[in-house]
Amino acid sequence: MAGKYLLATLGCKVNQYESQQLREVLESCGLRPACPGDVPNIAVVNTCAVTAEASRKNRQTIRRLARGGRTPVVVVGCGAAANGAQLRALEGVTAVLGHDVNICANLRRLITRQLESQPTSSVGDANHAAVATHDRPDACRYEISMRPDTRNRGHPSWAPRSTDSGDIITPVSNVKADSVLTARIERFAGHQRAFLKVQDGCDASCTYCIVPRLRPQLRSKPIEVAVAEARDLVRSGHKEIIVTGIFLGAYGRNTAIRKRWGSQQSPLAALLDALAQVEGLRRLRLSSLEPGDVDGSLLDVLARHETCVPHLHLPLQSGSAQVLRRMNRQYTRDQFVDMIDRVRMALDRPAITTDIIVGFPGESEEDFRASLEIARYAEFCKIHAFPFSPREKTAAACWQKDFVDATVIRRRMRRLAELERECSLSFRRRFLTEAERVIVEGSDQLDRQASAGQHVRHGRADRYFEIHFEADDVRAGDLVPVRIDRVTPTRTLGTCLGANADSYPLDVLSTT
Ligand code: SF4
């Protein structure tokens, strides 16, 4: 009988993508997703480390899935790289894999060895050994024995072993990650829109960020590999692809430090140009860019292809010139404003979304007002606001005397949320009575309105905002034309104009 797995993902779009890779590894080993009520044979937790809150959620998720040590848990990702030793000590954790090893290869090896040793049993039932390694300096080499956990007799699981115990059973090679990204996925389970990771790593040094310590090596997916992967995703039914990376603007470069880039034309523009021409792909979206990434060639590609949506995610982090300097961001306030102007010139009423850190050490009222000012100017239709969270071994974590009071941070967060609602409402109002292409999300059962007897659907427009509309004859994943009838501070409501947006070419959509 096939074993069952549980896979939990925390964090960003890159983690979502990497979880799909893990899912493909687990399923190619014969495991199947556990359903509610099933007892999983293995749980994999793909962790995040960007904030203290993320670290708390990592631990909470691991504890929940380990079920008191009865389910063996493999912990991977940024949290594993940042706090390997701490997570390894949690009950039920049998392997900790950070980004210094090829996570997929190690996971496959772990499961394959288990299956080889017990061909007729499911994963987790064996009492033979397998080993995984985690070689970060802050997390000593770690060996795992897949023998019944003596703490839970009758509930076999993989019991962790330390090399210190002298009970090492089988060594395993530390399969290093490739210098280029070559691994591909074929579909994006559970999502209508698919993420496509084309870049990994960052060696910039924003003073609040732990990522360069966890993913220091810059790697890019060759254009032909990315295009082949995009074709597979389209063949699997995905109409939208979101191109992601840790530092997407550094695609095709060996450093994220822009002053070392030279004058070569944007490799990202060339990638987008190729992806935009993938047959059957209807929407291409970028995950995140900064002023130095948005050059003329990139804007030209975005404007030239109908597939490229008029939406950019441009993380501001702060609108204050001096806070940006202390953050060591690679742009000034003026360069950010200039980028907004250039984007508006090139694209039709673009949607601009952003990230802002609230309460960075030393952020004064005046600094915060500067963030509000740019947010209003850019009319960000979505602001991901994060209260500053000190991360161990980052420069900003040491500036304790400048930490902003938590009450002040909460008040500023509320103010930013109010402004976001105002900006979003005024942005969406511009599209009243116009038709937008929407990729239908959600399921019948979730969206059914018992009283009305009709299905209320929702989905994202090209410009990223969500639209709710009634329709019976559309399915999740369909691309449909929806006329915008009403906008409220929190919702956009519309009428579905047909079952297929292809019968409404874009020029008609924008003037309906
Ligand atoms: S650019 Fe800055 S914020 Fe982004 S991953 Fe690199 S160091 Fe972190």
Side-chain angles (χ1 to χ4, degrees), residues 45 61 67 79 95 110 143 161 235 240 253 263 269 294 335 356 364 374 395 397 402 443 458 463-464 470 478:
V45 182
T61 307
R67 303 179 313 125
L110 197 70
E143 311 287 339
R161 293 283 180 103
R235 226 173 277 130
E240 174 173 335
R253 323 256 190 189
S263 56
V294 185
Q335 285 167 336
I356 294 180
S364 64
I374 295 200
D402 292 330
S443 75
H458 68 273
R463 291 181 178 82
Y464 196 62
E470 289 180 357
D478 286 351

Side-chain angles (χ1 to χ4, degrees), residues 202 204-206 208-209 211-212 246-247 290 329:
C202 177
S205 41
C206 298
Y208 54 84
C209 184
V211 171
I246 293 296
F247 192 122
E290 294 172 16
R329 298 291 286 169

Side-chain angles (χ1 to χ4, degrees), residues 50-51 317 354-359 384-389 409 413:
V50 290
T51 60
Q317 306 304 9
T354 201
D355 301 330
I356 294 180
I357 295 174
V358 178
H384 300 275
F386 300 93
F388 171 73
S389 172
I409 293 183
M413 291 283 290

Side-chain angles (χ1 to χ4, degrees), residues 132-403:
T133 61
H134 185 72
D135 281 346
R136 291 199 70 80
D138 54 346
C140 66
R141 189 174 174 84
Y142 180 51
E143 311 287 339
I144 297 114
S145 161
M146 298 199 290
R147 65 178 57 185
D149 187 340
T150 50
R151 289 167 302 189
N152 294 288
R153 288 196 182 281
H155 298 280
S157 67
W158 301 346
R161 293 283 180 103
S162 141
T163 48
D164 299 340
S165 71
D167 193 1
I168 300 167
I169 303 155
T170 318
V172 71
S173 67
N174 178 3
V175 188
K176 286 282 181 197
D178 296 323
S179 59
V180 291
L181 289 175
T182 49
R184 290 158 45 181
I185 60 170
E186 291 182 358
R187 70 193 172 94
F188 212 84
H191 293 254
Q192 305 308 330
R193 305 176 306 131
F195 297 124
L196 170 54
K197 177 179 148 188
V198 297
Q199 188 276 343
D200 200 343
C202 177
D203 60 350
S205 41
C206 298
T207 52
Y208 54 84
C209 184
I210 195 176
V211 171
R213 212 162 63 74
L214 312 178
R215 296 179 182 255
Q217 193 196 353
L218 271 85
R219 294 177 290 147
S220 295
K221 189 168 277 177
I223 290 185
E224 60 281 8
V225 178
V227 167
E229 189 170 8
R231 285 199 189 110
D232 285 345
L233 290 167
V234 169
R235 226 173 277 130
S236 300
H238 297 288
K239 295 188 171 73
E240 174 173 335
I241 285 176
I242 302 153
V243 183
T244 67
I246 293 296
F247 192 122
L248 188 57
Y251 174 78
R253 323 256 190 189
N254 57 12
T255 176
I257 300 167
R258 291 195 186 84
K259 63 182 181 213
R260 298 189 191 149
W261 281 2
S263 56
Q264 136 203 37
Q265 242 210 347
S266 164
L268 183 60
L271 171 75
L272 283 190
D273 194 31
L275 288 175
Q277 297 175 55
V278 166
E279 205 179 327
L281 180 64
R282 305 306 310 278
R283 271 186 189 168
L284 190 59
R285 201 183 292 276
L286 295 174
S287 65
S288 192
L289 294 171
E290 294 172 16
D293 312 329
V294 185
D295 66 2
S297 62
L298 189 88
L299 285 175
D300 177 53
V301 170
L302 291 176
R304 191 150 35 86
H305 293 289
E306 278 186 354
T307 326
C308 297
V309 293
H311 164 223
L312 288 177
H313 185 72
L314 309 172
L316 169 66
Q317 306 304 9
S318 171
S320 152
Q322 64 132 352
V323 173
L324 283 176
R325 258 197 314 276
R326 282 166 61 85
M327 287 177 166
N328 199 27
R329 298 291 286 169
Q330 298 186 66
Y331 53 85
T332 64
R333 175 198 173 283
D334 293 347
Q335 285 167 336
F336 193 92
V337 171
D338 175 63
M339 169 179 63
I340 298 291
D341 293 343
R342 286 185 290 116
V343 167
R344 281 182 175 150
M345 293 269 285
L347 308 178
D348 171 28
R349 295 169 296 170
I352 302 173
T353 53
T354 201
D355 301 330
I356 294 180
I357 295 174
V358 178
F360 186 77
E363 184 190 70
S364 64
E365 280 304 318
E366 198 184 328
D367 293 325
F368 178 63
R369 273 199 300 276
S371 293
L372 293 177
E373 202 179 289
I374 295 200
R376 206 173 285 114
Y377 180 78
E379 205 175 34
F380 294 130
C381 48
K382 176 83 195 154
I383 299 174
H384 300 275
F386 300 93
F388 171 73
S389 172
R391 304 308 287 144
E392 219 184 316
K393 297 183 190 158
T394 61
C398 305
W399 301 337
Q400 277 147 335
K401 68 175 177 30
D402 292 330
F403 280 8

